[in-house]
Amino acid sequence: MAARRQLIAGNWKMNGLKADAGKLVGDLIQDVGKPGVVGCELLVCPPATLVSTVAGLLSGSAVVLGGQDCHAKASGAHTGDISAAMLRDAGATYAIVGHSERRTDHGESDGQVLAKAQAAQAAGLVAIVCIGETEAQYVAGQTLDVLARQIAGSVPASAKAATTVVAYEPVWAIGTGRTPTNDEIAAAHAHIRKELAKLTGEAAGIRLLYGGSVKPSNAAEILRLPDVDGALVGGASLNAADFAAIARACP
Ligand code: PEP
């Protein structure tokens, strides 16, 4: 098995107009986005309106592009939705699916997330499947059970290193400045890999990202934990210097 190359993924969420994207991407490329500057893979996931624009801005750089969601169907009467093939056509190679904000704001179930992941893969995108426990589940000591259930329900059994990334994002750590302890992150990631192995038969090559309040000051210690193969970064990905510092913290 080839070593897992770390992935630092930026989720811009519903932020950014064209001018913001030009500045953010320009600064990022200048800092760490030229080929060979950092060892990890760099990914940005702008809002759907900017995917095409950002594809142009990233041309010739080492930074790749993703969408934040896709519909489970390839096309059809789904007003306001975007298919995986449309993302691919606009220049994306990744799609986040099942982010907790989608699961909460849009009531997405594990089954719907699974269908979206399959649609992304069918269109030739790498699906970044997000899972993670709520604060109540964390406090009740249910984290590992929740993760096992979400993996069984929302990760395709056909998942391979080339088609799938799994992001562990405790819901209570997203945008709050709070994170689990390093031991808790390591335990969750080990558990995810074990559950993925049960589901797919071979999980050693699948990259597992930690997400939830990753910033320059905590990135190095988190990225060195066993089974952590990168980070999904929200707030700090909107600041080129912070995102670049996280990228430089990759071991
Ligand atoms: C996210 O939304 O995926 C995320 C991890 O956000 P933040 O880094 O702001 O906690």
Side-chain angles (χ1 to χ4, degrees), residues 9-13 96 99-101 130 167-171 173-178 210-215 231-237 246:
N11 172 15
W12 294 4
K13 311 194 186 193
I96 298 170
H99 190 282
S100 73
E101 287 151 16
C130 300
Y168 168 51
E169 298 207 301
V171 178
I174 295 177
T176 61
R178 297 162 58 209
Y210 169 76
S213 296
V214 175
K215 43 191 187 256
L232 182 52
V233 183
S237 73
I246 293 168

Side-chain angles (χ1 to χ4, degrees), residues 91-186:
T93 50
Y94 283 81
I96 298 170
V97 294
H99 190 282
S100 73
E101 287 151 16
R102 300 283 322 169
R103 290 179 187 256
T104 304
D105 296 355
H106 300 270
E108 291 184 7
S109 64
D110 281 338
Q112 285 168 312
V113 175
L114 173 67
K116 287 178 177 215
Q118 288 167 329
Q121 293 168 344
L125 299 174
V126 178
I128 302 179
V129 184
C130 300
I131 57 174
E133 81 285 359
T134 63
E135 179 144 36
Q137 291 164 333
Y138 172 72
V139 170
Q142 297 168 347
T143 299
L144 300 186
D145 289 343
V146 170
L147 296 179
R149 200 165 61 235
Q150 290 181 327
I151 288 165
S154 54
V155 177
S158 60
K160 302 260 177 301
T163 63
T164 313
V165 172
V166 175
Y168 168 51
E169 298 207 301
V171 178
W172 54 273
I174 295 177
T176 61
R178 297 162 58 209
T179 58
T181 64
N182 288 344
D183 284 351
E184 286 171 331
I185 295 174

Side-chain angles (χ1 to χ4, degrees), residues 1-9 39-43 94 128 161 164-168 185-186 188-190 192-194 196 203-211 214 219-233 246-247 249-251:
M1 188 206 60
R4 297 185 300 265
R5 186 178 176 213
Q6 290 223 336
L7 170 65
I8 303 298
C40 59
E41 185 177 6
L42 286 176
L43 165 68
Y94 283 81
I128 302 179
T164 313
V165 172
V166 175
Y168 168 51
I185 295 174
H189 280 242
I192 291 167
R193 197 169 304 285
K194 188 171 74 111
L196 276 178
I206 296 179
R207 289 180 292 180
L208 309 184
L209 310 185
Y210 169 76
V214 175
E221 56 183 289
I222 291 172
L223 292 169
R224 274 171 179 72
L225 295 172
D227 280 311
V228 173
D229 306 312
L232 182 52
V233 183
I246 293 168
C250 282

Side-chain angles (χ1 to χ4, degrees), residues 24 27-28 31-32 216 236-248:
L24 181 51
D27 288 351
L28 187 63
D31 200 337
V32 288
S237 73
L238 295 171
N239 179 302
D242 285 352
F243 194 61
I246 293 168
R248 272 194 236 96

